Amino acid sequence: MDSIDLEVLKTASAWIAEGHRAELVTVVKTWGSSPRPIGATLAICDDGRVVGSVSGGCIEDDLIERVRAHGITRTVPELVKYGITADEAHRFGLPCGGTIELAIEPIGRDSGIDQLLERLEQHQLVARHVNLQTGAAALDTAAPGMQLEVRDGVLTTIHGPRWRLLIIGAGQLSRILAQMASAMDYHVTVCDPREEYRATWNLPGIEPVHAMPDDLVIDMRLDHRSAVVALTHDPKLDDLALMEALKSPAFYIGAIGSRANNAKRRERLKEFDLTDEQIARLHGPIGLYIGSKTPAEIAVSIMAEMTAVKNGVPQELQVQHADALARQQAESNAGCTI
């Protein structure tokens, strides 16, 4: 499963290869409330086909209507604002006071899209620089933490996996979680020294690594854009990964298991000379409470908690929402009859 960014680029590349003209549209600035974040993209083909999103629908409809009526006429990029007035905000479905600035760039074989895709296939983090006067594009390696910007007439966009996720275990839950994380711009690594699990792994683009978890954690040099999730249910493997990960700056570290098993795990981790503060960073039981039962539901809960932590949602707010969900489920179950 590709991220939205990658899907847009791949589709645009295919249109160009078929001989179509296309435009790449990027959200470069927002004021007030906006339905899509800075960096969101869409591509539009000269026949009106579109992939991606910059507003959730209404601005896309306007862009498609203009292309169908006039074709793709731009020869150089253009910055366009939507939602400047209250009437326009209402017309384009923007929240009250919302304004979006878009970069609309005509792209072709010389726009470097294929070269960008080649580098993304190698899991590189890439900066793409577009001269807004001429349309000339250039690529280079992006530094961690770089953001989209428009400076001195050049639009710089960042592409590739901005985050890393190490999954310990190559079971069914790991496969589903890896798919979800890949779609959310994570570079996913799956580690499992057990041959029987690696032999049945089937997820194109992600091959499980045969290594001991603690060794791989050290070799990856985890940083503040990294997460580690231990999913084997085998303390010999999960604890090895956790004892090293909890010493790292990784923003999220979680382990599957019940409250009782995680309490025992925390006691075991004390034997590895970890401090109470380091052990307190462990998310276990893993995931936000959503009543998960199936592997897919558990994967959703894990990604939800990872996203909340990544976005700085306070722990107490996460707990409040979890408690509210639990109460709603209990009330719903109490009202059910069979």
Side-chain angles (χ1 to χ4, degrees):
M1 182 184 295
D2 293 333
S3 67
I4 295 175
D5 181 35
L6 195 56
E7 181 185 8
V8 168
L9 294 172
K10 285 184 174 181
T11 304
S13 175
W15 289 338
I16 293 169
E18 294 168 0
H20 290 281
R21 301 189 66 194
E23 289 181 328
L24 182 63
V25 184
T26 306
V27 178
V28 298
K29 195 171 184 180
T30 64
W31 294 265
S33 301
S34 64
R36 298 287 286 136
I38 291 173
T41 60
L42 72 80
I44 185 167
C45 187
D46 55 13
D47 60 10
R49 286 180 289 171
V50 67
V51 59
S53 174
V54 293
S55 76
C58 297
I59 291 178
E60 286 85 343
D61 291 344
D62 185 67
L63 294 170
I64 294 169
E65 181 181 342
R66 290 173 184 270
V67 167
R68 286 179 173 168
H70 308 290
I72 292 178
T73 59
R74 290 182 181 84
T75 58
V76 295
E78 181 180 3
L79 297 179
V80 178
K81 290 181 182 178
Y82 279 88
I84 297 174
T85 67
D87 288 342
E88 286 175 320
H90 177 73
R91 174 189 171 196
F92 294 114
L94 297 174
C96 181
T99 302
I100 294 178
E101 184 174 38
L102 305 175
I104 305 179
E105 174 196 354
I107 54 175
R109 296 182 184 275
D110 58 350
S111 298
I113 301 300
D114 289 343
Q115 292 82 356
L116 174 59
L117 286 169
E118 290 175 3
R119 296 181 66 163
L120 295 180
E121 287 296 327
Q122 299 170 13
H123 304 294
Q124 296 182 29
L125 186 61
V126 184
R128 181 171 182 265
H129 309 286
V130 179
N131 188 307
L132 296 176
Q133 300 299 317
T134 66
L139 306 176
D140 66 20
T141 300
M146 282 185 66
Q147 301 291 327
L148 180 150
E149 67 174 6
V150 178
R151 179 183 297 179
D152 299 329
V154 175
L155 167 66
T156 298
T157 54
I158 310 302
H159 305 267
R162 296 161 177 80
W163 305 89
R164 293 189 295 167
L165 170 62
L166 172 59
I167 301 174
I168 308 302
Q172 182 184 31
L173 172 57
S174 298
R175 179 176 55 80
I176 298 171
L177 181 64
Q179 289 178 299
M180 291 183 181
S182 295
M184 296 178 67
D185 280 339
Y186 282 83
H187 178 199
V188 179
T189 301
V190 176
C191 173
D192 202 321
R194 302 169 299 180
E195 174 61 30
E196 61 272 23
Y197 281 88
R198 297 197 312 277
T200 57
W201 180 266
N202 182 23
L203 184 59
I206 301 176
E207 292 298 326
V209 178
H210 181 193
M212 292 307 294
D214 52 336
D215 292 336
L216 186 56
V217 169
I218 294 171
D219 290 344
M220 287 183 64
R221 297 182 180 180
L222 303 176
D223 57 20
H224 65 281
R225 302 180 325 278
S226 304
V228 177
V229 174
L231 302 179
T232 72
H233 285 286
D234 184 344
K236 294 189 298 295
L237 298 178
D238 288 345
D239 290 2
L240 283 175
L242 297 172
M243 72 178 185
E244 296 297 340
L246 289 168
K247 301 173 187 175
S248 77
F251 76 89
Y252 180 88
I253 302 163
I256 200 165
S258 67
R259 291 183 184 277
N261 285 338
N262 271 286
K264 295 175 183 178
R265 173 179 285 118
R266 288 180 169 86
E267 290 301 316
R268 291 195 302 270
L269 289 172
K270 291 180 180 179
E271 300 175 5
F272 293 114
D273 295 326
L274 292 170
T275 67
D276 290 341
E277 290 76 15
Q278 289 171 329
I279 295 174
R281 298 179 57 219
L282 175 64
H283 293 265
I286 198 170
L288 290 182
Y289 178 78
I290 57 173
S292 306
K293 291 182 174 62
T294 67
E297 291 175 344
I298 295 170
V300 168
S301 74
I302 294 171
M303 285 308 306
E305 185 173 56
M306 280 178 54
T307 303
V309 174
K310 177 171 72 72
N311 291 341
V313 177
Q315 179 69 23
E316 57 270 21
L317 187 57
Q318 297 178 40
V319 172
Q320 289 173 11
H321 281 287
D323 289 344
L325 285 169
R327 288 195 300 272
Q328 290 174 5
Q329 185 183 49
E331 292 169 0
S332 175
N333 291 340
C336 292
T337 58
I338 298 177

